[in-house]
């Protein structure tokens, strides 16, 4: 599972970098949906916090951390019980049932972690996009002061 995830990440990274022949600008300070989703890709929940949804961010981060830690723990337990099963040599022993139960729990928690990660990335992008669309006005009236000729003015603009 780790090899597949690493391969997909490396493939996406190289495919995107080779498809773009110009300079790549990485400015994470601007409020863009891609910046929010990249933050959640690095650490699930960070993009939600950056979108000013702190509670959702902490919940996503907590679910991801607990599911990853649980997946590693139950995978370790499954290996432990499988080694005991192999050493015992009894086919219908209880160690194999313990191995199977821990392995299945580890798999379920791995899928929960992957699902949480995907949710965090997609949700951060969608929420940031909605926030940007909400702040985009169709018309605006801006006042300004020109210090060179000491005058006041206004600009009216309408988006069509």
């Amino acid at each position: 599972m780790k090899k597949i995830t690493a391969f997909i990440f490396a493939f996406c990274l190289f495919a995107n970098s080779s498809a773009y022949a110009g300079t790549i600008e990485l400015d994470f300070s601007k409020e863009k949906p891609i910046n929010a989703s990249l933050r959640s890709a690095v650490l699930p929940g960070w993009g939600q916090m950056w979108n000013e949804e702190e509670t959702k961010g902490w919940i996503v981060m907590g679910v991801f951390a607990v599911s990853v830690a649980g997946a590693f723990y139950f995978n370790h337990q499954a290996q432990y019980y499988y080694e005991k099963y192999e050493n015992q040599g009894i086919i219908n022993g209880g160690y194999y049932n313990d191995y199977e139960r821990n392995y299945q729990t580890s798999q379920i928690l791995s899928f929960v972690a992957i699902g949480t990660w995907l949710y965090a990335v997609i949700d951060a992008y969608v929420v940031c996009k909605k926030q940007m669309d909400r702040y985009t006005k169709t018309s605006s009236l801006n006042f300004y002061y020109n210090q060179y000729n000491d005058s006041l003015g206004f600009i009216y603009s309408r988006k069509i």
Side-chain angles (χ1 to χ4, degrees), residues 9 17 39 45 60 102-103 109 121 124:
F9 179 73
S17 65
R39 289 172 193 265
V60 168
N102 284 304
Y103 181 74
L109 289 173
V121 171

Side-chain angles (χ1 to χ4, degrees), residues 2 11 20 36 39-40 49 60 68 75 96 127 141 146 154:
K2 293 177 196 175
F11 178 76
Y20 185 72
R39 289 172 193 265
S40 279
M49 290 181 192
V60 168
V68 167
N75 189 28
Y96 187 78
V127 168
L141 180 62
N146 189 345
F154 70 92

Side-chain angles (χ1 to χ4, degrees), residues 92-106:
N92 293 329
Y95 289 130
Y96 187 78
N97 294 337
D98 292 336
Y99 155 75
E100 205 169 51
R101 186 180 65 243
N102 284 304
Y103 181 74
Q104 288 174 354
T105 305
S106 144

